[in-house]
Amino acid sequence: MPQHAQSTPVCRDCDGFATAAITTGTRHQDGTRDTLRVTCPTCKGTGYATPAASLTRAGR
């Protein structure tokens, strides 16, 4: 029988691509490009959505 993979909820802000490398336009001495690594602030770089049960509510 075939086994089905679990359907994990993907982050709605980054669509599962949690980290992006952005070039700054400058180069290092060896010729490689200088890059910045930016992670999704919503999922904190995991690519998966946080379950609603783990969210906390502040206030009333």
Side-chain angles (χ1 to χ4, degrees):
M1 294 186 79
Q3 294 183 359
H4 300 284
Q6 292 180 344
S7 61
T8 54
V10 177
C11 177
R12 64 182 174 94
D13 292 331
C14 65
D15 289 330
F17 297 98
T19 305
I22 302 170
T23 61
T24 60
T26 59
R27 293 184 181 260
H28 294 286
Q29 292 291 333
D30 61 355
T32 58
R33 294 195 180 267
D34 188 19
T35 58
L36 298 173
R37 189 173 180 189
V38 181
T39 58
C40 175
T42 305
C43 65
K44 309 270 189 299
T46 62
Y48 300 108
T50 306
S54 68
L55 298 175
T56 58
R57 183 175 177 171
R60 293 183 150 188

